[in-house]
Amino acid sequence: MRRESGQFIYRQLYSQLKEDILAFKYESHEKLPSKRDMSQHLNISVNSVKAAYEQLLAEGYIYTEERKGYFIEPLEKLIIDPNAQISLNVQEQQIEDAYDYSFSHMSTDISAFPVEVWTKLVKRVFENYDHELSSIPQIKGPIELRQSIAKLVSYQRGIQCHPEQIVIGSGTNILLTKLIQLLPDEIKIAVENPGYSRFRTLIRQTTAQLKPIALDHKGISIEAIKQAQPDATIVTPSHQFPMGIIMPVSRRIDLLNWASQTQSYIIEDDYDSEFKYETDNIPSLFSFDKNERVIYLGTFSKTLMPGLRMSYMILPINLVKQFDHYNLNMIPDFSTIHALTLNLMTKEGYYEKYVKKMHQIYGKKRETLITHLSNTFTNNIRIKDTRAGLHFIVEVNTPFSYQEIESRAKEMKLELYTLNRFSVKALEKNSSYKTLIIGFSKIKQEQIPQAVQRLKEVIWE
């Protein structure tokens, strides 16, 4: 044994014996030297030999017989298929290192997040919620958080619901999966086109049929929905994703009437309703529903941060018992510590205070960005639907195709997404104007002039 190797002596002996056993240098049932003989032979302590033998025994390489010693366990030769030996050459690249500037619609600005408040609240959770932290959580989430969310959506979104209707989850994708499990197999689910691509991917992985529905100037086309006859429709009425359209009340009523007449469900994805500019909050579609046809998806990813992984779903009363029965023995996927901390943050007013602060920060970024885009591109840009959310769309005059814009942006280290990402089919180069999704949450205020200049280099030669 090499004492200078930096490895415990018993681990060296264990590794060598295991290697020899797997190489069949020992016969099945062959007796190993006694601990004392092995220690004398190798000039190491009996305790080191004992530790090595005990580890081999625990892993099943050897067995012991009382008063007789240790013996080699019979083993079959491990079959190794040469065709199965595949090397993994994929290298993940950190977004932070890949881009100089970001127009991402997915990120948030956490520079003003109240870290000290959050840390203080986490400490209180550990002090006061011993039972909740040491037990398997409720599948729907802590009742305290669900009560706080019920109050929050009541005055912010006009939603009247019971905490039992609320389900906490680690993201809207997870909650949508749970919802689809409640619905019949092979149902037709309509989605907005263009729309949230991750929902499309998720639906394709289930037995449900995907039905893309085009938009018009009021949002998702009601006529196209009637033609497709889906069993459920996912919409983003408060701020259509990604086009930014705010669905007017006339289209909301048409949508609700269709759902009631056909006994279909509307899944309302209210992903960034907290941020409205130049207008008050628009009441949710759920708040208009009188016939138990709307399912509401809300998230804290936009108001706080995506890394928190905390979203919620509000079920119509007619699906609550079905959800409870289906998930009777399931374990939830969210962090109980985060859920209880978020409850304290909401209950004690820290959450609302932070959202108001971020509303001002995002509003200032939005105004600065619109000004610089307008001044830089003058008559070659159309800026649309800027009144809500953390992104807006622009149409820019450019000689490049969508694929070329995406490639050039990546080469120039600008995080940028085009309408192509959100469309069911790849968009053709049939117009000199291309639609870009401009997010402003992640970019720093002082970076905006340079980022707009970089965008100009991307779309013009």
Side-chain angles (χ1 to χ4, degrees), residues 239-380:
H239 186 223
Q240 199 281 329
F241 185 82
M243 301 305 290
I245 302 166
I246 297 176
M247 185 182 290
V249 67
S250 59
R251 179 56 52 85
R252 293 170 185 242
I253 291 173
D254 289 342
L255 198 55
L256 289 168
N257 286 342
W258 163 80
S260 298
Q261 291 164 0
T262 60
Q263 293 295 289
S264 303
Y265 284 110
I266 300 170
I267 303 168
E268 178 182 13
D269 180 16
D270 209 20
Y271 66 99
D272 67 355
S273 60
E274 294 83 0
F275 300 110
K276 291 288 184 289
Y277 317 98
E278 306 168 25
T279 179
D280 290 336
N281 277 343
I282 309 298
S284 68
L285 196 62
F286 192 102
S287 67
F288 281 90
D289 181 29
K290 308 302 178 187
N291 299 300
E292 300 288 307
R293 304 319 306 170
V294 179
I295 298 149
Y296 182 92
L297 294 176
T299 183
F300 292 96
S301 290
K302 294 295 185 182
T303 51
L304 295 179
M305 64 184 86
L308 186 63
R309 307 313 306 143
M310 197 64 64
S311 299
Y312 58 96
M313 173 169 63
I314 305 178
L315 296 169
I317 293 172
N318 57 22
L319 285 180
V320 172
K321 286 186 178 179
Q322 190 176 341
F323 179 90
D324 291 344
H325 176 74
Y326 190 91
N327 293 280
L328 185 62
N329 293 314
M330 303 301 288
I331 296 177
D333 50 78
F334 56 83
S335 162
T336 302
I337 294 174
H338 285 168
L340 292 171
T341 305
L342 180 58
N343 168 59
L344 293 177
M345 190 177 187
T346 304
K347 185 177 179 180
E348 298 181 10
Y350 296 113
Y351 173 76
E352 188 173 5
K353 182 180 179 181
Y354 177 66
V355 171
K356 286 181 179 178
K357 182 176 184 178
M358 294 311 300
H359 191 281
Q360 293 176 347
I361 291 174
Y362 289 141
K364 186 177 179 181
K365 286 185 184 181
R366 165 186 160 274
E367 290 179 7
T368 304
L369 184 54
I370 291 172
T371 298
H372 277 275
L373 287 169
S374 300
N375 293 340
T376 301
F377 294 97
T378 60
N379 296 329
N380 292 294

Side-chain angles (χ1 to χ4, degrees), residues 233-244:
T233 302
I234 304 176
V235 294
T236 50
S238 294
H239 186 223
Q240 199 281 329
F241 185 82
M243 301 305 290

Side-chain angles (χ1 to χ4, degrees), residues 109-122:
D109 184 348
I110 63 170
S111 61
F113 186 80
V115 178
E116 291 184 2
V117 170
W118 183 267
T119 304
K120 179 181 69 174
L121 296 178
V122 169

